[in-house]
Amino acid sequence: MRAIRRFTVRVTLPQPLAPLHDLMLNLRWSWHPPTVELFESIDPAGWAASSGDPVAMLSTLRPGRLAGLAADEDFLRRMDAAVADLRQYTGEPRWYQSGAPAAAGTLPNAIAYFSPEYGITAVLPQYSGGLGILAGDHLKSASDLGVPVIGVGLLYRHGYFTQSLSADGWQTERYPADDPNGLPLTLLRDPETNDPVLVSVILAGGKLLTAQVWLAQVGRVPLLLLDSYVEQNEPALHEVTDRLYGGGSEHRLRQELLLGIGGVRAVRAFCAITGHAEPEVFHTNEGHAGFLGLERIREYTVAGLTFDEALELCRAGTVFTTHTPVPAGIDRFPRDLIERYFAQDAAGETLPLDRVLTLGAETYPGGDPHVFNMAVMGMRLAQRVNGVSRLHGQVSREMFAGLWPGFDTSEVPIGSITNGVHAPTWEASKVSELGDAAAADAARLWEIRRQLRATMVTETRRRLRDSWRQRGASGAELTWIDDVLDEDVLTIGFARRVPSYKRLTLMLNDPQRLSGLLLDPDRPLQIVIAGKAHPADEGGKRLIQQMVRFADSEAVRRRIVFLPDYDMALARYLVQGCDVWLNNPLRPLEACGTSGMKVALNGGLNVSVRDGWWDEWYDGGNGWEIPTADGVTDPARRDELEASALYELLAKSVAPLFYDTDHDGIPGGWIEMVRHNFRSLGPLVQADRMVREYVTTLYAPAAESSRALAASSFHAGRDLAAWTQRVREAWPSVRIEHVEADGAEPSLGAVLDVRVTAALGPLSPSDVSVEVVYGAPGDNDEIVDPCYVTLQADEPVPGQHARFSGAVELGRPGPFGYTVRVLPNHELLASRAELGLVTYPDAPAGMTNGDLR
């Protein structure tokens, strides 16, 4: 018989063991080995059976064992030490409080960080891939550094999905339900009534979507997860938070409305109940949470500001991070669907429908007028925007350049902060215990690498056996698995999501050649592969099936395996145990990629296409570059060329170095490369570095801008909105009337005097900046790598004209070209391109970015 309802009954701990409750509900245990060791010592078999879940393990513990622990003085002493350590960790000043390199007055009191998924631990399966793992690592490092972040997300009852394989290698999905009471979560309650805190969002037709708020404590960082499974919702609305990235367009829209609008309301409730500082900065991690900006605009209008004034306040305190290098990766909703959800009865007078629709409109060449673009809205609601690697920042500036017409791609106001990974989560304890791994004894370093590889081999065999049993094989058919992989063979890892651009099957381009590498009698390779395709991605599933069928073949199955259900637990084994991490996306479609960073922390080396983070940090000695065929337009031919280059690299460079050992069996050249890897990449790949950069380059400036606009009852914010409106209305009348230049012989070091007369209409010279843009001209007279000189306003000219003048030094030999332009100028703008307004000589006046406001 099937149960009509299921729930989890949590264990009641004896009073002496009550501190275990706080330890298990603070997810710091997931990256704190001493606390893990404490839990494991309670019941080693139960800990393993629960896959390292303290809530599940304690819930199955026998009463006699609990009583024994309550009387065990040694255990109580160790428990008290762990509790004291956690209290010190959560209460002491850390980098943010005592050493953050920013003026104390500019650091925000708190930052709200919104993401659709979080990879904190495998025990809390609220992630699908890199975006969620990045978000989890961001919160953990923020906690370690003392950065006052509040995380906001959704609690998916079925998570993403668990993956298994059919007998013929086809991916199948299951969606097991998670009871929040069985997870390391607590329900946010009103302290006076003890009732759950509820937040609501109005949907189309006046329907009310309500959610309760679960709290996951991530070290010092609270993570608020909204859950629509409440009795106040009609049955269909219970399912809003059913699955991560599930359902159709309207389902996704409801999820994103709850995340953005409901998330802000949850933050307000949490701060009111707990006394936590209110956020001054809101960080939108990808476009899924973009509606948070509309809720903040609504809050400001309730406080008495106009929509335009509220927009300026919202933008000043918002950071938007884009993670996709392709338009297809962006959430885009039908315009008419947004119209239904933001009709007057749902949005109210504070959010006029036409203004909402304008924020997400694709008003650039090639844009679709029938869609609402979440990334475009995110950028229009944030004064500061960034990509997640240097190359991705460049790609993003090119992809979204249409929002700022008339500006050089390099001027598009999208920066970059390269992702990082949380070292305590991903680094093996054996490596971290070395201290300075780059200076470790070669024999010791090689032995640790061999131990980590052996551990991974053992886990691979266990998981492979389980997978074959799920596929219908009997135990008698699986004795060959005892010989799968070898702890002394060069091991390559490839694990990630399976969209087509990541090219899971590139290595299969020439199966015979790959087999030769795997079965080489002197220098064999072995490969461990994992990854999930989206349930709706039939193409991705076919790639997995192709890989599984190859790995199933009797000739190579001991040297190449596909492990289903890739998650954080499996990822730890792989990134710690593999010698080489393979990454072969179609360049430049990998925004960053972080799995290879985790490998680098553990002494593994990367073999990768120069994409994402590897493009900027590969130095020729810390791994290998797979040559790319960027100019080849035929996809099959490109794959063939790059696969051949990969085979060549593995056979002639990677394997020989690994197997070139001395009389003690130590590969000296390989160890030297590992040491260089630790030195060159160790400090760079860490999320601590990433979060510090967010604090100093984005969070602190955003807080400063937000405070400046909010001061004196929003005086500066009102003035900026009025100035912006005045400039936009006047800009069609701005034009350059006359340009003249003279100077000495055009020789190196000479000075070119430039004078400009401009018609400004009702604007004054202080409202604009007039610049000379100069540099070497290209084939079409486009200025390459331009430089800029701001001209100074001269004496007034009768009428609505102004004169500007200045000097340009001819500082480099060769061809030289220049132009001039007029831009809006205000001290509270974050970049010269922010308003998207610019005028050039002989160019249409009033070039804009699609009337953002």
Side-chain angles (χ1 to χ4, degrees):
M1 292 180 289
R2 293 188 62 186
I4 62 171
R5 187 181 178 193
R6 57 180 293 172
F7 55 87
T8 302
V9 180
R10 284 188 176 177
V11 65
T12 300
L13 297 170
Q15 184 56 40
L17 300 179
L20 285 176
H21 184 267
D22 292 337
L23 286 177
M24 72 180 182
L25 289 182
N26 191 310
L27 293 171
R28 188 218 183 192
W29 62 259
S30 67
W31 73 90
H32 190 242
T35 308
V36 169
E37 291 166 7
L38 177 73
F39 283 126
E40 187 174 14
S41 71
I42 294 173
D43 181 3
W47 180 256
S50 70
S51 300
D53 181 348
V55 177
M57 180 196 68
L58 289 174
S59 296
T60 60
L61 213 57
R62 301 184 311 275
R65 178 56 176 156
L66 287 172
L69 288 172
D72 185 334
E73 293 296 330
D74 178 65
F75 178 82
L76 295 177
R77 177 186 55 78
R78 290 188 291 122
M79 179 188 68
D80 289 342
V83 171
D85 182 80
L86 178 61
R87 287 174 179 164
Q88 181 179 6
Y89 171 85
T90 55
E92 68 183 357
R94 301 188 76 82
W95 171 81
Y96 194 84
Q97 290 73 31
S98 57
T106 65
L107 290 176
N109 294 325
I111 304 102
Y113 180 93
F114 285 65
S115 177
E117 53 175 302
Y118 289 91
I120 308 295
T121 166
V123 168
L124 192 62
Q126 301 292 308
Y127 59 93
S128 71
L131 178 69
I133 302 301
L134 179 277
D137 283 5
H138 194 110
L139 296 196
K140 293 175 193 175
S141 284
S143 173
D144 291 343
L145 295 169
V147 182
V149 167
I150 302 171
V152 183
L154 301 179
L155 181 68
Y156 306 97
R157 287 299 177 98
H158 300 277
Y160 191 43
F161 66 89
T162 60
Q163 177 198 46
S164 57
L165 300 173
S166 67
D168 65 350
W170 189 257
Q171 170 181 297
T172 60
E173 302 94 21
R174 292 185 302 109
Y175 293 88
D178 286 316
D179 176 11
N181 291 293
L183 298 173
L185 304 170
T186 55
L187 194 59
L188 186 64
R189 295 181 179 275
D190 186 311
E192 295 184 1
T193 65
N194 202 40
D195 293 331
V197 170
L198 300 175
V199 296
S200 297
V201 176
I202 300 177
L203 304 179
K207 289 184 179 180
L208 202 64
L209 170 62
T210 300
Q212 58 191 356
V213 183
W214 294 90
L215 171 65
Q217 193 64 40
V218 186
R220 300 165 66 111
V221 172
L223 170 59
L224 310 179
L225 299 172
L226 279 68
D227 171 21
S228 63
Y229 282 79
V230 296
E231 62 182 16
Q232 288 83 355
N233 285 330
E234 61 182 61
L237 295 183
H238 286 165
E239 305 297 321
V240 167
T241 57
D242 59 348
R243 300 174 182 178
L244 176 59
Y245 302 141
S249 184
E250 185 165 11
H251 186 75
R252 289 284 293 277
L253 177 59
R254 288 173 171 178
Q255 286 187 335
E256 296 184 11
L257 289 167
L258 181 60
L259 174 60
I261 296 174
V264 173
R265 295 173 183 177
V267 168
R268 301 304 186 202
F270 173 79
C271 292
I273 289 171
T274 64
H276 194 291
E278 290 278 356
E280 294 182 279
V281 175
F282 287 75
H283 184 172
T284 309
N285 191 39
E286 200 40 274
H288 312 282
F291 290 120
L292 73 87
L294 297 183
E295 173 63 7
R296 296 186 62 222
I297 288 173
R298 187 198 64 80
E299 290 180 331
Y300 283 124
T301 59
V302 169
L305 275 65
T306 66
F307 185 95
D308 290 307
E309 293 165 348
L311 177 59
E312 296 297 345
L313 266 295
C314 171
R315 295 185 69 254
T318 302
V319 172
F320 177 78
T321 299
T322 175
H323 288 262
T324 180
V326 290
I330 297 170
D331 273 350
R332 300 160 83 226
F333 294 108
R335 179 187 169 97
D336 58 359
L337 182 62
I338 300 296
E339 289 176 344
R340 282 203 297 117
Y341 272 76
F342 285 90
Q344 199 65 40
D345 58 341
E349 296 180 0
T350 58
L351 296 176
L353 178 59
D354 62 327
R355 302 302 300 272
V356 171
L357 292 172
T358 297
L359 289 170
E362 295 183 350
T363 53
Y364 41 80
D368 186 343
H370 303 295
V371 303
F372 185 93
N373 187 309
M374 293 296 289
V376 167
M377 179 179 70
M379 293 182 183
R380 287 172 171 161
L381 290 176
Q383 194 175 41
R384 290 164 179 84
V385 181
N386 70 286
V388 291
S389 71
R390 186 171 61 191
L391 178 60
H392 180 237
Q394 175 185 329
V395 170
S396 298
R397 287 189 290 275
E398 294 170 356
M399 187 163 70
F400 293 104
L403 292 173
W404 293 273
F407 288 91
D408 189 79
T409 300
S410 63
E411 296 180 279
V412 170
I414 301 175
S416 66
I417 293 179
T418 303
N419 286 342
V421 297
H422 184 243
T425 294
W426 301 107
E427 188 177 55
S429 58
K430 288 183 173 66
V431 176
S432 60
E433 289 165 3
L434 286 173
D436 183 3
D441 174 75
R444 177 64 180 144
L445 195 54
W446 183 241
E447 176 59 23
I448 287 175
R449 289 297 316 144
R450 187 176 184 277
Q451 291 172 1
L452 293 174
R453 191 185 313 116
T455 299
M456 187 201 67
V457 167
T458 299
E459 179 66 11
T460 297
R461 292 171 181 170
R462 184 189 70 80
R463 287 177 177 260
L464 187 63
R465 183 172 282 105
D466 288 346
S467 175
W468 272 98
R469 284 174 175 160
Q470 285 182 329
R471 296 173 68 184
S474 65
E477 299 173 81
L478 301 180
T479 55
W480 61 273
I481 289 180
D482 295 336
D483 299 322
V484 165
L485 304 187
D486 185 321
E487 62 190 34
D488 293 316
V489 167
L490 172 60
T491 306
I492 298 172
F494 184 101
R496 49 191 40 87
R497 291 185 303 109
V498 191
S500 59
Y501 78 87
K502 291 181 183 283
R503 297 195 295 185
L504 167 69
T505 56
L506 183 71
M507 67 180 80
L508 300 183
N509 194 271
D510 186 340
Q512 187 173 358
R513 196 168 177 186
L514 176 61
S515 297
L517 292 172
L518 296 171
L519 302 175
D520 188 290
D522 300 315
R523 297 188 298 222
L525 309 179
Q526 57 192 18
I527 306 177
V528 184
I529 302 164
K532 294 178 177 180
H534 188 280
D537 183 4
E538 295 294 306
K541 292 181 182 182
R542 281 192 291 272
L543 295 178
I544 289 175
Q545 185 179 50
Q546 182 184 351
M547 179 59 70
V548 171
R549 286 177 171 174
F550 179 81
D552 282 353
S553 59
E554 189 170 351
V556 298
R557 65 186 183 183
R558 290 173 176 80
R559 284 285 181 261
I560 182 169
V561 298
F562 182 92
L563 299 178
D565 210 24
Y566 182 45
D567 65 0
M568 290 183 69
L570 175 56
R572 281 175 54 85
Y573 285 104
L574 297 184
V575 300
Q576 293 174 8
C578 287
D579 302 295
V580 167
W581 200 252
L582 176 60
N583 188 32
N584 46 232
L586 278 169
R587 187 181 190 274
L589 301 184
E590 185 84 272
C592 181
T594 57
S595 54
M597 297 180 179
K598 300 159 194 167
V599 175
L601 285 176
N602 288 286
L605 302 174
N606 280 268
V607 172
S608 178
V609 166
R610 289 284 294 272
D611 203 1
W613 72 274
W614 191 238
D615 182 70
E616 64 192 272
W617 290 340
Y618 167 69
D619 65 7
N622 53 9
W624 292 271
E625 170 193 2
I626 301 173
T628 57
D630 289 347
V632 177
T633 56
D634 178 9
R637 178 59 177 160
R638 178 171 179 170
D639 284 355
E640 180 185 350
L641 291 172
E642 295 187 9
S644 180
L646 171 61
Y647 300 140
E648 194 82 0
L649 192 61
L650 294 175
K652 295 187 176 180
S653 298
V654 181
L657 191 67
F658 182 87
Y659 287 106
D660 183 14
T661 59
D662 61 18
H663 62 278
D664 293 321
I666 299 172
W670 186 273
I671 291 298
E672 282 307 309
M673 184 173 276
V674 168
R675 284 175 168 157
H676 178 64
N677 175 78
F678 279 128
R679 286 192 297 268
S680 64
L681 295 178
L684 294 175
V685 300
Q686 300 201 33
D688 281 8
R689 183 269 315 153
M690 173 190 73
V691 172
R692 286 188 179 102
E693 289 186 23
Y694 272 104
V695 168
T696 55
T697 66
L698 294 176
Y699 294 164
E704 190 170 18
S705 294
S706 184
R707 288 172 182 169
L709 295 189
S712 302
S713 300
F714 309 113
H715 176 76
R718 296 178 192 272
D719 282 353
L720 179 60
W723 177 86
T724 299
Q725 184 175 359
R726 180 167 61 85
V727 168
R728 287 193 175 282
E729 291 173 351
W731 205 255
S733 62
V734 173
R735 63 184 182 276
I736 296 172
E737 299 278 353
H738 183 67
V739 181
E740 59 182 87
D742 56 54
E745 183 78 14
S747 58
L748 191 64
V751 172
L752 186 72
D753 293 316
V754 180
R755 293 176 294 278
V756 174
T757 302
L760 302 181
L763 302 181
S764 69
S766 63
D767 291 323
V768 301
S769 176
V770 178
E771 295 180 341
V772 178
V773 184
Y774 66 94
D779 293 340
N780 298 316
D781 288 336
E782 292 291 324
I783 297 174
V784 179
D785 191 19
C787 298
Y788 310 90
V789 167
T790 300
L791 304 182
Q792 301 301 312
D794 293 337
E795 73 281 357
V797 181
Q800 293 180 330
H801 292 76
R803 286 180 179 169
F804 302 82
S805 63
V808 177
E809 181 180 355
L810 306 182
R812 53 189 178 190
F816 180 89
Y818 77 93
T819 186
V820 297
R821 65 183 184 181
V822 183
L823 308 155
N825 177 54
H826 194 286
E827 62 180 356
L828 293 176
L829 297 181
S831 77
R832 56 162 56 94
E834 183 170 332
L835 296 189
L837 299 173
V838 61
T839 295
Y840 290 91
D842 303 321
M847 298 181 73
T848 77
N849 61 353
D851 296 328
L852 299 193
R853 296 169 182 78

